[in-house]
Amino acid sequence: MKNDIAKFAIAFFALSCGMALEELLPKLSGAGFPFLLSFAIVFASRRKPLEGVLFAAAAGAAEDAASALPFAVSISFFVAAASIVRAFKIPVWYALPAHALHQIWIWVWLGARLEGSIFNRILAAVPLGAAALWAVTAVVARTDRRAAIDER
């Protein structure tokens, strides 16, 4: 029970901070730091399957709301990415191209309404995604250790 409350608190804090960081940090060619996507991928690899997918859905909904995207554009991508990482036990660092694929996914749904060229967005997405994934992996690993998540 204590572990569940700690996991919920960490997930809520990650969702809040990830959304704030995505909004406050600058965008490069229309692509921003993918903190919510990174949290969804890391939580999918470190938590139980249902917890990971539910967090991915919540993170996708927050992304849609913050970016003014149509309903379920990011939710569908985040849940699919989290499910793939979880189902195939893919190491977190293999998910580096996920942010670039998310830019393509948004472009498929929005097309010409996007700010900036899709090629520039993809080029900017790779280093921004790597930086966000590195930071999120380090923060979640440290937080899980300090909160004794999954310790007996």
Side-chain angles (χ1 to χ4, degrees), residues 105-146:
W105 183 257
I106 293 171
W107 178 73
V108 165
W109 287 101
L110 297 181
R113 293 181 284 173
L114 276 181
E115 168 189 327
S117 165
I118 185 62
F119 298 111
N120 290 338
R121 288 176 74 103
I122 292 170
L123 288 175
V126 173
L128 295 176
L133 191 59
W134 174 80
V136 165
T137 303
V139 166
V140 170
R142 181 173 168 85
T143 305
D144 282 356
R145 272 194 317 274
R146 302 280 293 185

Side-chain angles (χ1 to χ4, degrees), residues 5-69:
I5 294 170
K7 284 181 183 179
F8 179 77
I10 290 169
F12 182 76
F13 187 71
L15 194 63
S16 303
C17 289
M19 192 169 175
L21 286 170
E22 282 194 10
E23 288 301 309
L24 293 174
L25 292 176
K27 309 241 184 292
L28 185 63
S29 296
F33 287 93
F35 286 104
L36 290 173
L37 179 58
S38 298
F39 274 120
I41 289 169
V42 171
F43 279 179
S45 68
R46 297 180 69 97
R47 301 284 191 262
K48 294 178 183 172
L50 182 61
E51 293 171 357
V53 170
L54 286 177
F55 183 83
E63 178 79 25
D64 287 341
S67 302
L69 293 171

